[in-house]
Every structure is written in structure tokens, then in C-alpha cells.
């Protein structure tokens, strides 16, 4: 039930982001970030930027699948950004510790995955700050990126996030791996849509992620062979 609802939301948002690739004005109209806010999706690193790069992100973890993801990232020498749920960090704190110890970026994806456009300020605050607290306990670092569940970003969420010292970070390539469309479909969707500067959305939590894990070797190997550098994002 939740998935069906979520699918509709995600499709709407993905369409907005894809269209936005061809016109940032339209993204602004859809997402309504306030003036001066960061663009919705892409956050190129501040320092020297490689000629070709992608930002690989994993949402909804940590989970029992995260160690498999970590092993593959290590095998291919790739760093990624993990947008974790506070409730899952509380359940698997040692895995969050391992993610950071392996050199990846650990960022905030709320505590319980609500659509942050429709929660009270009190709820918004606790979703974000409680997640900060458990991530900080395992990594020693306070996240500065917030990925709103379902891509639920509007002027209010941008403003509330900013008041907590957070920048919203979305994505540009969404293979919908969470819906388990099959390993080869996940691979094809990523590799057909990726381009320089893409922010790729995958999931290491929120359900059975064996297809995502199985898709990773081909995705990583192919992107490396195409000459992409992998950056992480910290929103600082
Ligand atoms: Zn999520």
C-alpha cells in the first residue's frame, strides 16, 4: 500500500527532475526552492572537478544488505554517499560505523521516512535532529545533507532544512531499484541514463536489496570503464 502510493510520488518527482535537466526553471517551478537555495539535484564538489564524474548514493539503510554493498564498493575502489534512516541506524549502529570507517559519506534521510512536506515543524525537527544524533554517535560527524523521502521538497522543506543547517540533496538518475524490476533492468536503466554529473539513486535498505547488490558489479565496472570518477557529497 505504501509502495503504491510512493510509486506515484516518485514518478512525479522523477519526471520533474528529468525535465529539469533541460531547464532549471521548470525544476524551480516544481520544487519551489527559495531564491538562493541550491539546485535540487546536482552538487558538484567544491574542489577540483574531474572531467567526468558521478555521485553514487544509497538510501534507506543501513540494513543487512549494506555490508555486501560495502564489499563491492571496496572491490571496485569506489566511494559513495549513504542517506540513512535514523531508525535503521539505531537498529544497525555498527554498520553505520563501518560505512564511515570505509571512507563513505553518511548523510541524513530522516528518522522514519515521512514525506517532510506534510509534517509539523516539531515532527520535521525531530525526524532530522534525532537522525543527526544517532549518525553522529557512530561517525563523529553531523550530516549537512538532507535527502527528503520521496523527493518531497518544496519551499517549506527547503526553508526548514536550511534552518537546521541542512541542504536538500535529490538525484538525477533513478532506476527504481526499490521496486525490484530485475537486476538487468536496474543495470540498463542506470547505464542508459547516466551522464557527466549524474547523481545516481540506489537503495541499500527498505526491503530485499539482492537485485541492487547483484546489479552493482556491472554498474561499477562499466562506469569506471567509461572514465567516470566517483565523488561523494557532504553539503559543506
Ligand atoms: Zn528513502
Amino acid at each position: 500500500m505504501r509502495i503504491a502510493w510512493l510509486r506515484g510520488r516518485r514518478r512525479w518527482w522523477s519526471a520533474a527532475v528529468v525535465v529539469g535537466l533541460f531547464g532549471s526553471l521548470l525544476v524551480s517551478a516544481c520544487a519551489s526552492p527559495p531564491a538562493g537555495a541550491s539546485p535540487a539535484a546536482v552538487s558538484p564538489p567544491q574542489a577540483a572537478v574531474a572531467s567526468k564524474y558521478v555521485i553514487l548514493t544509497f538510501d534507506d539503510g543501513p540494513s543487512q544488505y549494506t555490508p555486501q554493498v560495502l564489499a563491492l564498493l571496496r572491490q571496485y575502489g569506489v566511494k559513495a554517499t549513504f542517506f540513512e534512516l535514523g531508525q535503521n541506524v539505531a537498529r544497525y549502529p555498527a554498520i553505520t560505523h563501518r560505512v564511515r570507517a570505509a571512507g563513505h559519506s553518511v548523510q541524513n534521510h530522516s528518522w522514519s521516512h515521512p514525506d517532510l512536506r506534510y509534517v509539523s515543524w516539531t515532527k520535521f525537527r525531530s525526524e532530522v535532529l534525532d537522525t543527526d544524533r544517532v549518525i553522529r554517535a557512530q561517525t563523529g560527524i553531523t550530516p549537512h545533507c538532507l535527502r527528503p523521502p520521496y523527493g518531497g521538497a518544496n519551499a517549506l522543506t527547503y526553508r526548514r532544512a536550511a534552518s537546521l543547517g541542512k541542504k536538500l540533496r535529490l538525484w538525477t538518475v533513478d532506476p527504481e531499484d526499490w521496486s525490484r524490476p530485475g537486476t538487468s533492468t536496474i543495470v540498463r536503466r542506470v547505464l542508459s541514463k547516466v551522464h557527466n554529473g549524474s547523481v545516481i539513486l540506489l537503495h541499500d535498505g527498505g526491503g530485499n536489496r539482492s537485485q541492487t547488490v547483484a546489479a552493482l558489479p556491472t554498474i561499477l565496472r562499466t562506469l569506471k570503464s567509461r572514465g567516470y570518477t566517483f565523488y561523494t557529497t557532504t553539503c559543506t
Side-chain angles (χ1 to χ4, degrees):
M1 185 171 66
R2 177 178 165 192
I3 291 298
W5 179 84
L6 174 152
R7 182 177 298 133
R9 293 268 174 206
R10 283 195 178 211
R11 285 205 173 132
W12 180 91
W13 182 254
S14 297
V17 170
V18 169
V19 171
L21 292 174
F22 301 97
S24 57
L25 280 178
L26 187 52
V27 164
S28 295
C30 294
S32 303
S38 300
V42 183
S43 173
Q46 304 295 319
V49 176
S51 57
K52 277 180 83 173
Y53 74 92
V54 293
I55 297 176
L56 185 60
T57 69
F58 292 91
D59 282 16
D60 297 354
S63 82
Q64 66 269 37
Y65 295 93
T66 307
Q68 298 175 62
V69 171
L70 290 177
L72 289 167
L73 293 175
R74 188 170 75 169
Q75 181 182 337
Y76 288 90
V78 167
K79 300 297 187 214
T81 303
F82 289 76
F83 288 90
E84 297 190 342
L85 294 176
Q87 64 184 8
N88 289 348
V89 178
R91 185 175 176 189
Y92 302 102
I95 297 181
T96 294
H97 188 86
R98 280 182 59 188
V99 172
R100 177 56 199 153
H104 304 291
S105 174
V106 179
Q107 300 296 325
N108 194 319
H109 191 39
S110 82
W111 184 272
S112 62
H113 214 272
D115 190 322
L116 293 173
R117 289 172 294 187
Y118 308 116
V119 299
S120 68
W121 166 236
T122 302
K123 174 75 168 170
F124 186 103
R125 206 168 173 279
S126 64
E127 285 280 336
V128 173
L129 296 184
D130 289 352
T131 301
D132 274 358
R133 178 174 46 77
V134 289
I135 289 176
R136 191 165 49 237
Q138 296 307 320
T139 68
I141 296 170
T142 300
H144 292 286
C145 303
L146 172 63
R147 173 166 281 171
Y150 317 109
N154 60 14
L156 182 61
T157 51
Y158 272 91
R159 194 165 59 244
R160 285 176 166 179
S163 75
L164 297 178
K166 304 285 185 265
K167 293 176 182 169
L168 297 188
R169 283 290 177 263
L170 299 177
W171 56 86
T172 62
V173 175
D174 179 7
E176 299 194 349
D177 64 316
W178 56 270
S179 69
R180 288 181 258 166
T183 299
S184 60
T185 300
I186 295 171
V187 169
R188 179 170 44 77
R189 286 176 178 173
V190 170
L191 297 180
S192 65
K193 294 175 186 170
V194 72
H195 62 85
N196 189 17
S198 288
V199 180
I200 302 167
L201 170 62
L202 292 169
H203 292 78
D204 65 318
N208 185 323
R209 297 295 167 240
S210 55
Q211 291 185 7
T212 302
V213 170
L216 265 182
T218 307
I219 291 172
L220 298 176
R221 190 184 321 114
T222 305
L223 291 179
K224 291 189 80 168
S225 73
R226 291 183 187 176
Y228 283 106
T229 297
F230 291 81
Y231 280 120
T232 60
T233 182
T234 59
C235 299
T236 53

